Amino acid sequence: FSVDQSSYSSHFQLQLCPGADCPIVIKVQEPRARRVQCSRCSEVFCFKCRQMYHAPTDCATIRKWLTKCADDSETANYISAHTKDCPKCNICIEKNGGCNHMQCSKCKHDFCWMCLGDWKTHGSEYYECSRYKENPDIVNQSQQAQAREALKKYLFYFERWENHNKSLQLEAQTYHRIQEKIQERVMNNLGTWIDWQYLHNAAKLLAKCRYTLQYTYPYAYYMESGPRKKLFEYQQAQLEAEIENLSWKVERADSYERGVVGGEGELSASDRGDLENQMHIAEQKRRTLLKDFHDT
C-alpha cells in the first residue's frame, strides 16, 4: 500500500514507485526481491531493485545483464531484423505474431523462428533450441578464439531474450484484439463476458508465462556449468515448448474470432478444452521452474 513519500528513503520496508512522475511509496511487510504493482499508475516492478520484475534472475544478475546488453548493443544489431528466409523454399518471412512456431505461407513448412529447425523436432523430449552448446576445448584455444566464443554465447542468449521481448509486444496486440472482440460480442448479445472469459484468460496467462521465460535467459547465461544448470535448461526447455504450444493455440483462437480461419467465428468445445488444458500445462511448468530455481 502507499504511504507519505517524505518518510520512505530511510525505511527498509518502503520503496518509491519507479513509474513516470508517480509519487506513490510502496510498503511491504517483508522487504525482498518480490513483484509489486503500484495502485496508482499500475507499474509492476521488483521491490528490492526497482527494475522490471525479473524472476527467476536475482537483482545483481539482472543489473549485470542489462548493463551488458546496453554495452554490447551494437554487436547485436544484426539479429534485430524482423525477417528470415523459409528454410525450405527460401521465401522471405516476416514475424508478425508472438509465436515462434512459424508456418510458411507459400510451402506450408513448419519451422522454428529462432533456430530455423523443423518444428517437429521441437516436440521431442529435449527442446534443444533454448540450450547453448559450450565448446569443451575452448580453454585450450587462442584468446581470439575464446573472445569469439564468448561473443557467440552472449549473442545466443541475447537473441532469445530479445525475441521473447518482441513476442510479448506482438502478443499484447493479440490480447487487445481479443478484448475488443469480447466486448463487441457482449454488446451484440452474442453471449456474456463469462462465455468468452477463457480467451481473455489464455492471452493473459500467455503473457505471464512468456515474461518468466524471457528472464530465464540472463539466469542461464551467468549460471555455472554442472548438473544444476542441466536441470534448469531441461525445465526451461519444457516451459518454452509449452509456451509456444499455448501461443500457437491462442493465435489460432484469435484467427477464428476474426473469421480468418473459417467456420462460424468461434472455437468448438473440444478446441476450447484443448486451449484450457494447454493453459494448465504451461502454468504448471512455470510454477515448477520458479519453485526450483527462484531463491527469494
Side-chain angles (χ1 to χ4, degrees):
F1 56 88
S2 58
V3 297
D4 182 11
Q5 182 178 353
S6 62
S7 63
Y8 87 91
S9 57
S10 61
H11 200 294
F12 67 99
Q13 291 179 302
L14 305 180
Q15 193 67 273
L16 177 65
C17 173
D21 301 319
C22 184
I24 293 296
V25 175
I26 310 295
K27 180 178 181 181
V28 297
Q29 294 300 317
E30 188 178 352
R32 56 183 175 85
R34 55 175 291 179
R35 180 186 185 276
V36 292
Q37 184 170 19
C38 178
S39 59
R40 183 176 185 269
C41 71
S42 299
E43 183 81 6
V44 175
F45 62 98
C46 169
F47 180 82
K48 186 175 180 180
C49 68
R50 297 176 71 242
Q51 296 282 351
M52 293 181 67
Y53 185 59
H54 46 73
T57 307
D58 61 64
C59 297
T61 301
I62 197 62
R63 191 179 302 114
K64 186 163 56 172
W65 171 256
L66 292 174
T67 300
K68 182 171 183 59
C69 289
D71 292 343
D72 292 345
S73 59
E74 289 305 312
T75 64
N77 275 345
Y78 78 93
I79 64 173
S80 63
H82 296 287
T83 62
K84 293 185 179 182
D85 292 340
C86 171
K88 189 172 182 180
C89 71
N90 296 317
I91 189 176
C92 185
I93 295 176
E94 180 177 6
K95 188 173 186 283
N96 56 10
C99 185
N100 290 305
H101 175 181
M102 307 298 293
Q103 185 178 71
C104 178
S105 59
K106 181 181 179 183
C107 70
K108 306 303 180 184
H109 177 59
D110 291 274
F111 65 95
C112 171
W113 176 260
M114 290 306 305
C115 69
L116 301 180
D118 191 319
W119 189 259
K120 294 176 183 177
T121 64
H122 284 67
S124 60
E125 177 69 12
Y126 207 88
Y127 187 88
E128 291 285 334
C129 187
S130 60
R131 182 171 70 93
Y132 182 75
K133 298 174 180 63
E134 302 273 2
N135 180 356
D137 192 47
I138 193 63
V139 293
N140 300 319
Q141 298 183 18
S142 67
Q143 287 188 339
Q144 290 89 344
Q146 291 184 36
R148 285 194 298 270
E149 180 67 19
L151 178 60
K152 179 182 174 183
K153 176 181 176 180
Y154 162 68
L155 290 177
F156 177 93
Y157 287 103
F158 177 84
E159 183 176 13
R160 282 152 180 78
W161 155 272
E162 184 66 14
N163 177 65
H164 286 303
N165 183 49
K166 290 178 180 176
S167 289
L168 276 167
Q169 296 172 25
L170 291 167
E171 286 166 348
Q173 297 173 16
T174 300
Y175 176 79
H176 289 304
R177 279 198 304 268
I178 288 174
Q179 289 280 82
E180 291 172 357
K181 194 64 180 180
I182 291 174
Q183 187 65 30
E184 179 184 334
R185 287 184 171 239
V186 172
M187 293 292 290
N188 291 327
N189 296 318
L190 297 173
T192 66
W193 174 262
I194 294 175
D195 294 326
W196 305 105
Q197 182 77 22
Y198 72 97
L199 284 175
H200 166 270
N201 292 343
K204 191 173 182 180
L205 177 68
L206 174 59
K208 181 167 72 170
C209 289
R210 194 176 292 282
Y211 189 89
T212 297
L213 180 60
Q214 179 187 359
Y215 281 90
T216 64
Y217 280 96
Y219 187 99
Y221 175 75
Y222 289 107
M223 205 173 186
E224 291 186 7
S225 298
R228 183 165 173 79
K229 183 170 185 178
K230 287 183 178 179
L231 176 61
F232 177 80
E233 288 176 332
Y234 178 75
Q235 292 193 15
Q236 179 192 44
Q238 288 197 319
L239 174 62
E240 183 142 18
E242 299 304 340
I243 287 174
E244 295 306 335
N245 286 339
L246 178 59
S247 181
W248 178 262
K249 294 178 190 301
V250 169
E251 289 190 5
R252 300 288 78 71
D254 178 47
S255 295
Y256 271 105
E257 290 303 304
R258 289 183 289 148
V260 172
V261 178
E264 296 299 320
E266 61 184 82
L267 295 180
S268 67
S270 61
D271 287 335
R272 173 176 173 174
D274 187 39
L275 176 60
E276 291 176 330
N277 182 58
Q278 188 61 45
M279 290 167 60
H280 174 74
I281 294 172
E283 175 63 2
Q284 285 299 107
K285 297 294 184 185
R286 189 187 75 88
R287 287 176 178 268
T288 297
L289 186 145
L290 290 178
K291 175 177 175 292
D292 291 346
F293 291 96
H294 187 37
D295 297 329
T296 54

